[in-house]
Amino acid sequence: MKTIGWIAAAGIAVAALAQSANAADLEQLKEQGFARVAIANEPPYTAVGADGKVSGAAPDIAREVFKRLGVPEIVASVSEYGAMIPGLQARRFDAVTAGLFMKPERCAAVAYSEPILCDAEAFLVKKGNPKGFKSFADIAKDESAKIGAPGGGTEEKLALEAGVPRSRVIVVPDGQSGLKMLQDGRIDVYSLPVLSLNDLKKKSGDDTIEVMAPVEGAPVYCDGTAFRKQDTALRDAYDKVLAEMKESGEFAKIIEPYGFSAAAAMSTSREKLCKG
């Protein structure tokens, strides 16, 4: 019985230490004066200017939430989507704020905040959509068609799940590269969320391309700020401020100028999205 009691006490002590470690995370961020976040440089979700300034709907929300938590700055690192969660788990980042859409497998790996940015999938194609692509299945059926998508991103997975062979799914590092590959005929379609492709098309000034949206059969996704699984206390503190901003209307003032809908983010929940 003494042994059982000792084991139980040890278990309680370990749990208490784990909780205190979680609770200390916010204090550590306050002390260092900044939070390290992963972004993707994919406007309007995230963007890095020529002067190195980080903007976009996701970092702007994170910057304001962390500021209200007593962490005055964010320091952003550009990362491929497939490297974001491993980087977070390896403690290279304190959070991911990059349009990393919530899906059950990701929810099993990280602790998401409540929803922030919602969007549908789209295709960037040549003017007139000459091959008539309306879905990822259409691309799979065309044995000559190649699709560009971000590595480790939702679009890459949707293409593969629809039956597009790995050899015809081309990993593209960023929007400008995807645009250039489409213009040069190295891919037939480039896939990203609607707002990302609209922004890319607008900035390109290229009238020989167009955005086809929404992609048939592809779900509407929402992202959230992602934290390590053990950092739930930090996530909960973040969620509290986020909820206050949604209630006050400040949330909408930040994201809606970028084209996102605050109502869409407020109409769903982490629980629903993580269940798929």
Side-chain angles (χ1 to χ4, degrees):
M1 289 297 291
K2 286 182 180 179
T3 301
I4 293 173
W6 180 85
I7 291 172
I12 292 170
V14 169
L17 283 170
Q19 289 176 355
S20 66
N22 279 340
D25 284 334
L26 180 54
E27 294 307 313
Q28 291 165 5
L29 294 183
K30 287 180 182 179
E31 287 178 16
Q32 71 184 23
F34 60 88
R36 301 164 303 162
V37 302
I39 66 169
N41 198 15
E42 182 188 323
Y45 289 86
T46 57
V48 181
D51 59 357
K53 180 176 172 55
V54 175
S55 63
D60 283 3
I61 286 290
R63 184 182 288 109
E64 185 60 27
V65 173
F66 276 119
K67 185 187 299 181
R68 295 182 187 207
L69 287 172
V71 184
E73 298 290 343
I74 60 170
V75 176
S77 299
V78 176
S79 171
E80 284 194 354
Y81 282 100
M84 288 177 182
I85 291 178
L88 181 67
Q89 293 170 333
R91 307 189 76 87
R92 290 194 291 275
F93 319 121
D94 300 304
V96 174
T97 174
L100 190 69
F101 293 142
M102 291 189 214
K103 293 181 284 187
E105 62 271 24
R106 286 177 176 166
C107 292
V110 300
Y112 272 108
S113 72
E114 287 295 334
I116 296 176
L117 306 175
C118 301
D119 204 355
E121 295 296 339
F123 290 156
L124 188 66
V125 294
K126 291 292 181 69
K127 188 74 173 179
N129 193 7
K131 293 201 170 188
F133 294 137
K134 295 182 179 180
S135 68
F136 287 99
D138 289 342
I139 299 168
K141 292 172 187 173
D142 186 335
E143 295 183 359
S144 66
K146 292 183 179 180
I147 178 172
T154 298
E155 296 76 20
E156 180 186 34
K157 183 179 180 184
L158 288 172
L160 293 171
E161 287 179 345
V164 184
R166 173 77 268 179
S167 61
R168 292 201 279 118
V169 179
I170 311 304
V171 172
V172 178
D174 54 56
Q176 288 300 321
S177 299
L179 172 65
K180 187 69 165 59
M181 291 174 74
L182 179 68
Q183 291 169 328
D184 293 346
R186 287 182 285 162
I187 56 176
D188 300 284
V189 55
Y190 180 42
S191 184
L192 282 177
V194 177
L195 292 176
S196 298
L197 289 185
N198 282 344
D199 183 83
L200 190 64
K201 164 74 170 69
K202 180 180 177 181
K203 289 177 178 175
S204 75
D206 186 349
D207 291 331
T208 69
I209 57 175
E210 67 179 46
V211 176
M212 198 296 296
V215 173
E216 292 180 0
V220 172
Y221 287 109
C222 298
D223 81 344
T225 299
F227 299 88
R228 287 181 289 274
K229 273 292 190 181
Q230 62 267 39
D231 291 346
T232 51
L234 176 59
R235 187 276 311 275
D236 292 346
Y238 192 97
D239 265 348
K240 184 174 185 296
V241 174
L242 183 61
E244 292 168 355
M245 290 174 62
K246 287 180 177 179
E247 181 67 24
S248 70
E250 293 163 291
F251 175 74
K253 288 180 181 178
I254 292 174
I255 71 166
E256 291 191 343
Y258 286 103
F260 293 98
S261 166
M266 294 166 68
S267 69
T268 187
S269 68
R270 172 178 58 241
E271 182 181 7
K272 290 179 181 177
L273 294 165
C274 285
K275 287 180 178 177

